[in-house]
Amino acid sequence: MPEGDTVWQAARRLHEALAGKTLTRSDFRVPKYATVDLTGRRVLSTVPRGKHLLTRFEGGLTLHTHLRMEGAWKVYGTDERWRGGPGHQIRAVLGTVDRTAVGYRLQVLELLRSTEEERVVGHLGPDLLGPGWDPERALANLLTDPARSLGEALLDQRNLAGIGNVYKSELCFLLGTTPWLPVGALPADRAEKLPGLAHRLLESNRDRPVRQTTGLHRHDLFVYGRAPRPCLRCRTPVRVADQGDGSQERPTYWCPTCQTGPAPAPGAPQHWRERYRRTPT
């Protein structure tokens, strides 16, 4: 699932390509909006809200999309070949005289009045990359349920918006605790630094083509995707397991030496798909 920095980059690409221009092509390939035509409307902006994208048009309309696991927005020049996937995966096409934005595999696509945007994003906690970022409120939200595991609390977009499986794993490593530690058991000094650390990680990566959390030349991430290779700090093999009730794919990586707290027993069932078995440099 794309993280907040990835969505921020997608919003910037869409905004730079479309904002201030009039649509010359509008094509929604979902049954509910198959007859909707926005041709002739000017695009006002595209803004990110956590992992949500809001593209606003004149006349008070907003296109709300969410990339979920596999979605993507691609931007192409007038004569450029579309390369985001086969045609049957296209869900939306927004074109101007010189740019075409194509939405692939969008599991959430909704047209609504711009005055109703809060209906789809109002439940979100403070946005880590938003202008209204509020670390105190984010920490208070996280601590609302002290018995909840830290990893699950970080992924709950109602607490703070923008963290996915990658940043969950990397944040817990940097804090020295396992993702299964109850939030209420997190030492006070680490709890206080958590929101600021999360903000700095996403802020430093929002303009990078390759996500980096280590500051090392040859290694981009501390633990995510590294199992069973050695931990970059202590050389203990990094471990991986699912977290949660199994209803969503949440591969979770950690170092059993550098991170203290509860963790699944070795050999516990693992249900993530093969695409998560990637090995970053």
Side-chain angles (χ1 to χ4, degrees):
M1 178 181 292
E3 318 253 336
D5 52 355
T6 304
V7 176
W8 191 92
Q9 292 171 10
R12 182 176 61 182
R13 287 194 300 272
L14 288 173
H15 183 82
E16 291 176 349
L18 304 178
K21 301 177 182 179
T22 299
L23 291 181
T24 58
R25 180 175 182 180
S26 165
D27 184 5
F28 296 107
R29 302 182 185 181
V30 294
K32 185 175 181 180
Y33 303 112
T35 61
V36 173
D37 186 2
L38 300 184
T39 301
R41 290 183 186 251
R42 187 164 58 92
V43 182
L44 302 180
S45 63
T46 295
V47 297
R49 183 70 170 87
K51 298 183 182 183
H52 300 252
L53 288 163
L54 301 171
T55 300
R56 297 162 179 157
F57 308 93
E58 66 177 351
L61 284 181
T62 294
L63 175 63
H64 166 230
T65 57
H66 195 298
L67 305 182
R68 292 287 176 90
M69 298 300 299
E70 300 177 331
W73 276 102
K74 303 289 186 179
V75 176
Y76 302 104
T78 305
D79 300 321
E80 191 176 358
R81 184 171 63 89
W82 299 357
R83 304 177 304 278
H88 70 267
Q89 294 182 348
I90 295 174
R91 298 292 176 266
V93 180
L94 300 174
T96 67
V97 292
D98 60 351
R99 291 288 186 274
T100 302
V102 185
Y104 291 88
R105 301 172 296 279
L106 300 174
Q107 296 183 38
V108 175
L109 188 155
E110 178 182 13
L111 272 172
L112 63 152
R113 304 299 304 179
S114 298
T115 55
E116 298 176 349
E117 289 179 0
E118 284 300 295
R119 176 173 61 82
V120 294
V121 297
H123 65 287
L124 298 174
D127 187 344
L128 282 154
L129 292 177
W133 165 241
D134 185 342
E136 290 79 16
R137 181 181 159 209
L139 180 58
N141 290 346
L142 288 167
L143 296 175
T144 299
D145 185 356
R148 194 177 192 186
S149 69
L150 177 58
E152 288 292 297
L154 288 171
L155 288 180
D156 190 335
Q157 303 299 294
R158 296 171 297 182
N159 291 332
L160 67 172
I163 292 178
N165 289 314
V166 178
Y167 282 117
K168 172 191 71 173
S169 297
E170 295 295 294
L171 277 167
C172 289
F173 177 83
L174 291 169
L175 291 169
T177 61
T178 70
W180 289 270
L181 182 79
V183 176
L186 190 65
D189 59 331
R190 300 186 200 181
E192 290 175 2
K193 68 184 287 189
L194 192 162
L197 179 59
H199 177 67
R200 287 194 299 275
L201 283 181
L202 270 76
E203 186 76 20
S204 65
N205 279 291
R206 71 178 191 178
D207 293 316
R208 288 178 175 159
V210 178
R211 188 176 291 124
Q212 235 273 2
T213 63
T214 67
L216 303 175
H217 176 65
R218 295 182 57 194
H219 303 286
D220 296 324
L221 304 175
F222 281 111
V223 289
Y224 188 86
R226 290 187 57 83
R229 293 193 291 163
C231 171
L232 295 178
R233 285 183 177 172
C234 72
R235 311 307 292 173
T236 300
V238 172
R239 291 184 57 197
V240 59
D242 276 336
Q243 185 170 24
D245 60 9
S247 62
Q248 300 184 59
E249 294 174 345
R250 292 181 171 176
T252 303
Y253 295 81
W254 80 102
C255 172
T257 298
C258 293
Q259 295 171 253
T260 60
Q270 300 170 348
H271 306 292
W272 63 94
R273 297 178 183 173
E274 281 296 320
R275 67 171 175 271
Y276 286 110
R277 300 176 189 262
R278 52 183 178 262
T279 306
T281 58

